[in-house]
Amino acid sequence: MGDAVTYSREDEIAFITVDNPPVNALSLPVRQGLQDCMRQFANDSAAQIAILICDGRTFIAGADITEFDKPRQDPWLPEVVEEMEACDKVIIAAIHGTALGGGLETAMGCHYRCAVKSARLGLPEVTLGLLPGATGTQRLPRLIGVKEALDVMVSGRPMSAEVAFERGAVDELIEGQDLRAGATAYAMKLLDQGTKPRRIRDIEINQEGLGSKFFKEYRRSAERRTRGFFAPEQIIKCVEAAVTMPYDEAVQRESELFKECMKSAHSAAQRHLFFAERAANKVADVPRETPLREIKRVAVIGGGTMGGGIAMNFANAGIPVVMKEVNQEALSRGLGIIRNNYEATVKKGRMSSAQFERCMDLISGVTDYSGISEADLVIEAVFENMALKKEIFGELDKKAKAGAILASNTSTLNIDEIAAATNRPQDVIGWHFFAPANVMTLLEIVRGDKTAKDVIATSMAMAKTIRKTAVLVRVCFGFVGNRMFFPYVREAQRMVLEGVPTQRIDKVAFEWGMAMGPNAVADLSGLDVLDKVNNEWADKPDDPAYCRVITKLVERGHFGQKTGVGMYQYEGRKSIPNPEVAELARTEAAVLEIPQIEVSDEEIIERLMFSMVNEGALILQEGIAARPSDIDVVYAHGYGMPRYRGGPMHYADAVGIEKVVSSISKYRDRYGDLYWTPAALLTKLADSGKSFADWAREQGA
Ligand code: 3H9
């Protein structure tokens, strides 16, 4: 303790400096240090004004999230903030980097705020299933207005310093990057003007334009954007309190609602994902200091929907990319789709015309391998066919420059086999994008047996550059995401054969939080695609009932959304039940002698989720994923699982591994061993009363 916050003075200006790397989080020594230094300032008769400033890359980025699972230790942040505000002498917050969560709340306890233009300010607690619990819900509406504050807190998105200045959350913008000099000049100006402390708690909330239905309507629109999440409504309640109650009572209400959030399963899940996403970046045998290969130019082989989406990611990051197609017609079509996608983004106001032109300029097309030899990274994105992929990699081996990374966007196939088609398997790696590739944030990076460490390190770093969340996995059919998705679809299909309506399964999954139910997703992915993958799976289960309805629909040419009929019928994008499915299921169930049974909502979720969890446990046993939390990141980013569930493995921990194993055993008694034998890891955990998280800790993962 002691050095996290220091007090110093230059003439009449005191500096309270926070130094708690990496992000100056408000751990106990920082809270204590702030309180001590503030008191020192109050008692320092030579100091007339104080500047709260941070060393390192950022202003305070929030409360220390690692402390949230431990007992509370005083001084608690709200008290520190209130005490700071009560000071009789002016305190200024000087902001660079990010002032987030408790960091912005601390800055709002100061009487004025100045910031460099590159700074960002926000209250992202909602992303952790929390609300700003150190008076932020009371102060921000007073500073920038009720609607604006709600938008900031419910979305969790930070404001740029310039926007914060326009709205009144920042009082002075500092030109250039010399924050200390700029803040000092600002302090001198305030001293010259004889400025007194301005306390946000004393500001009247501007209620202009807040009609009687304001909160009702705001709730309705927030509910559409944040379906299922607990924290947004808690935030709205806090702001409602700010508008209707005296300040001190409303702060009390904020504190109660914060505690409810903190205790919620949602927050535990969302905090788990916060750390899971950061852990996924770390690869045990690839040290942080591994030198990276330089990636200045990229080539994408295949200009279909996937290839085009992949190319857009690089153009968006300012990296030139050449796309190869087999002939001019296919190339023009591919480039046309990219142009249309960008134009739609411009129309929605999410991209300027200048950005659009810049991105289009960065994308070029070829119909042969010319241009490929200049690329530092080549991503093959043709359709899922081993022979074709091998042919392309053989060609790349001849044409790509030495040291280029050769990546395959395969969703299931063996990277080692693809690598063996080259004389440089150390340069070959899987980059599994998720459709639409320019939108979905997940990138499964698949290391082969011979993939070089610098190829892994460069791939992980490039993923960050193109704003993807990367998870490193090893080779198996379907890798992590799809391998676990197969049992999910399999169980949905089996339930359809057992007489459960397609739409009921999807409704239950949707209400549990999935972005779409399994049948709707199957239709979106294409039933023909799923059927093809099943047929190419060497270890496909020996089970005539396996995805039977899909197979029968495909035989009839019903491929899902793309043909207008599949597990549902489609009128445009709207789905309606397909009566053919129920009838087909009945007929097939009779042939297969599958009894029609009553399935409860609870069973629907158990069969969908626990079948995945069991597969996830096998994946961990086999070392395909390094940590259970990596699997959770895959599901949160690539498969529409709501963040408040924390991913399938965290969900299993939350439900209790013993319960998971006892349910799996129940289904084994009903269906036999083929699918429902509990993985050895699950049984071991259940027997020892441990969770996946305990196991990961023990493994040092
Ligand atoms: C809050 O404030 C509640 C209050 O309202 C009420 C209290 C009563 N705590 O992300 P990075 C670690 S809730 C502890 O890779 P970047 C992170 O785990 C909080 N640790 O860097 C990582 O560790 P490692 C509201 C934290 O440059 C390292 O720092 N605030 C915290 O890409 C680097 O992080 C937030 O939600 C933390 N608060 O991004 C902000 N933050 O190296 C959360 C980070 O061992 N933080 N770490 O893996 C962020 O959004 C980003 O970290 C930030 C930097 C944008 C700041």
Side-chain angles (χ1 to χ4, degrees):
M1 280 209 194
D3 288 331
V5 190
T6 47
Y7 181 83
S8 61
R9 184 167 49 71
E10 284 173 22
D11 302 324
E12 64 272 63
I13 303 181
F15 289 87
I16 297 173
T17 308
V18 180
D19 182 15
N20 186 31
V23 297
N24 289 315
L26 288 153
S27 0
L28 178 63
V30 176
R31 300 196 302 275
Q32 186 64 65
L34 282 174
Q35 194 175 54
D36 292 346
C37 291
M38 241 158 28
R39 289 177 183 175
Q40 196 172 344
F41 166 59
N43 293 326
D44 184 349
S45 55
Q48 293 189 38
I49 192 163
I51 296 173
L52 170 62
I53 192 163
C54 293
D55 279 345
R57 65 194 214 221
T58 179
F59 190 77
I60 301 165
D64 183 344
I65 306 164
T66 61
E67 283 185 355
F68 285 174
D69 291 321
K70 301 174 192 155
R72 167 183 150 167
Q73 282 180 291
D74 289 332
W76 192 231
L77 188 60
E79 293 154 19
V80 178
V81 172
E82 296 284 8
E83 190 174 332
M84 191 182 280
E85 183 174 68
C87 183
D88 287 337
K89 294 186 279 188
V90 168
I91 306 176
I92 299 167
I95 300 170
H96 75 296
T98 42
L100 298 178
L104 179 55
E105 291 173 300
T106 305
M108 290 193 290
C110 298
H111 306 114
Y112 300 94
R113 284 147 297 282
C114 61
V116 288
K117 284 186 175 165
S118 56
R120 286 178 305 140
L121 295 82
L123 293 173
E125 284 85 346
V126 73
T127 63
L128 300 167
L130 297 171
L131 57 85
T135 68
T137 64
Q138 305 306 303
R139 293 182 194 276
L140 197 61
R142 287 175 159 78
L143 263 191
I144 70 172
V146 171
K147 161 86 169 57
E148 289 74 8
L150 274 168
D151 286 347
V152 166
M153 292 188 280
V154 170
S155 74
R157 272 193 296 276
M159 305 172 272
S160 68
E162 276 166 328
V163 167
F165 175 72
E166 279 160 26
R167 292 179 175 178
V170 165
D171 304 290
E172 179 91 348
L173 280 179
I174 291 172
E175 295 294 336
Q177 288 301 313
D178 193 342
L179 177 64
R180 192 178 165 103
T184 304
Y186 179 51
M188 298 295 287
K189 185 169 92 181
L190 294 187
L191 276 181
D192 285 350
Q193 291 168 351
T195 308
K196 297 277 174 258
R198 184 181 58 145
R199 301 189 175 89
I200 295 177
R201 65 181 282 146
D202 297 335
I203 298 175
E204 284 278 322
I205 290 192
N206 181 359
Q207 303 214 17
E208 217 174 284
L210 290 190
S212 58
K213 293 194 191 125
F214 173 80
F215 283 102
K216 196 169 162 211
E217 280 162 10
Y218 195 88
R219 280 197 165 89
R220 200 176 307 138
S221 87
E223 163 59 24
R224 275 198 295 273
R225 285 174 278 137
T226 62
R227 177 180 72 91
F229 284 86
F230 180 64
E233 168 59 20
Q234 300 284 96
I235 290 172
I236 298 172
K237 281 183 189 159
C238 286
V239 176
E240 214 169 13
V243 172
T244 55
M245 289 177 175
Y247 177 83
D248 288 319
E249 277 174 43
V251 165
Q252 187 53 37
R253 181 91 181 109
E254 178 194 86
S255 165
E256 289 157 12
L257 294 166
F258 179 77
K259 281 186 202 138
E260 286 177 15
C261 286
M262 191 62 109
K263 276 194 283 183
S264 69
H266 283 206
S267 178
Q270 290 174 256
R271 282 183 275 134
H272 162 76
L273 278 176
F274 177 85
F275 290 113
E277 283 156 353
R278 281 149 185 89
N281 264 320
K282 298 177 183 119
V283 184
D285 64 335
V286 180
R288 213 177 256 256
E289 39 314 329
T290 305
L292 303 182
R293 297 192 188 182
E294 198 175 26
I295 308 290
K296 283 190 172 158
R297 295 187 71 80
V298 175
V300 177
I301 313 293
T305 317
M306 206 63 188
I310 294 172
M312 288 171 77
N313 286 309
F314 290 96
N316 294 347
I319 300 171
V321 51
V322 57
M323 199 166 82
K324 178 190 172 303
E325 252 304 347
V326 284
N327 56 42
Q328 192 53 48
E329 194 193 336
L331 182 62
S332 304
R333 197 171 43 239
L335 290 171
I337 294 173
I338 293 178
R339 177 171 284 278
N340 286 346
N341 282 344
Y342 275 134
E343 278 171 354
T345 316
V346 173
K347 255 196 208 128
K348 284 183 201 149
R350 294 205 206 120
M351 187 182 219
S352 68
S353 309
Q355 282 170 318
F356 163 68
E357 294 299 340
R358 231 182 351 262
C359 286
M360 283 311 293
D361 283 350
L362 285 168
I363 301 177
S364 56
V366 289
T367 53
D368 55 22
Y369 279 88
S370 64
I372 305 298
S373 61
E374 282 154 40
D376 307 295
L377 164 67
V378 185
I379 303 174
E380 162 278 309
V382 302
F383 62 89
E384 202 70 343
N385 177 295
M386 183 54 97
L388 178 61
K389 293 200 188 247
K390 278 181 168 171
E391 188 191 316
I392 290 172
F393 273 76
E395 207 58 40
L396 290 177
D397 194 26
K398 287 183 224 144
K399 305 277 170 34
K401 70 171 166 190
I405 295 178
L406 307 181
S408 172
N409 172 51
T410 174
S411 53
T412 53
L413 300 178
N414 188 327
I415 291 296
D416 293 324
E417 205 180 324
I418 296 173
T422 73
N423 290 303
R424 36 172 135 173
Q426 72 282 0
D427 296 339
V428 177
I429 192 162
W431 278 44
H432 178 204
F433 286 87
F434 288 72
N438 54 317
V439 177
M440 296 295 282
T441 49
L442 179 64
L443 184 60
E444 249 184 347
I445 295 185
V446 190
R447 69 191 288 179
D449 278 346
K450 297 193 176 142
T451 308
K453 292 190 178 172
D454 64 343
V455 170
I456 295 174
T458 308
S459 297
M460 300 296 284
M462 271 315 285
K464 236 183 176 178
T465 307
I466 60 170
R467 313 185 104 184
K468 299 289 173 199
T469 300
V471 177
L472 186 68
V473 303
R474 287 186 186 271
V475 174
C476 68
F477 189 77
F479 315 123
V480 168
N482 282 344
R483 180 168 159 185
M484 288 172 66
F485 182 68
F486 300 148
Y488 176 71
V489 174
R490 177 198 81 211
E491 282 310 303
Q493 283 279 301
R494 173 79 193 200
M495 286 188 263
V496 171
L497 281 178
E498 289 169 346
V500 187
T502 311
Q503 57 278 15
R504 180 165 158 239
I505 299 168
D506 282 3
K507 181 168 178 277
V508 171
F510 180 78
E511 281 168 2
W512 184 85
M514 297 300 289
M516 290 171 106
N519 297 302
V521 170
D523 270 357
L524 182 66
S525 312
L527 302 184
D528 55 329
V529 175
L530 294 176
D531 196 49
K532 186 165 170 297
V533 169
N534 286 340
N535 292 333
E536 282 172 7
W537 184 9
D539 299 321
K540 183 181 166 189
D542 183 15
D543 171 15
Y546 185 82
C547 290
R548 177 83 157 211
V549 176
I550 288 183
T551 306
K552 290 290 162 191
L553 286 168
V554 170
E555 280 172 11
R556 295 176 185 187
H558 297 167
F559 297 165
Q561 274 201 22
K562 61 179 133 179
T563 58
V565 195
M567 297 302 294
Y568 293 92
Q569 287 180 346
Y570 294 88
E571 287 166 357
R573 285 177 121 197
K574 189 172 169 278
S575 64
I576 51 167
N578 178 5
E580 176 197 12
V581 167
E583 175 220 303
L584 207 157
R586 256 194 312 276
T587 313
E588 293 303 315
V591 173
L592 297 163
E593 297 180 6
I594 289 176
Q596 305 295 285
I597 58 171
E598 283 297 317
V599 176
S600 68
D601 289 358
E602 190 194 351
E603 177 171 329
I604 292 177
I605 292 303
E606 280 193 356
R607 287 172 62 184
L608 293 178
M609 293 302 149
F610 295 171
S611 57
M612 275 208 276
V613 169
N614 204 31
E615 199 65 43
L618 292 174
I619 281 171
L620 290 170
Q621 271 171 227
E622 294 166 21
I624 302 294
R627 319 168 179 89
S629 62
D630 284 359
I631 297 178
D632 291 332
V633 174
V634 167
Y635 266 80
H637 284 269
Y639 292 83
M641 192 173 276
R643 292 183 73 84
Y644 61 77
R645 297 290 184 190
M649 310 318 271
H650 176 85
Y651 178 65
D653 278 354
V655 170
I657 301 294
E658 249 180 282
K659 159 78 180 147
V660 174
V661 171
S662 85
S663 296
I664 290 179
S665 306
K666 177 179 76 189
Y667 298 122
R668 179 172 56 180
D669 292 345
R670 194 196 295 167
Y671 295 107
D673 288 344
L674 182 58
Y675 302 127
W676 289 106
T677 302
L681 175 59
L682 267 179
T683 316
K684 191 174 104 183
L685 293 178
D687 289 349
S688 54
K690 289 187 174 156
S691 62
F692 283 116
D694 295 330
W695 178 80
R697 262 190 299 276
E698 283 167 16
Q699 304 285 308

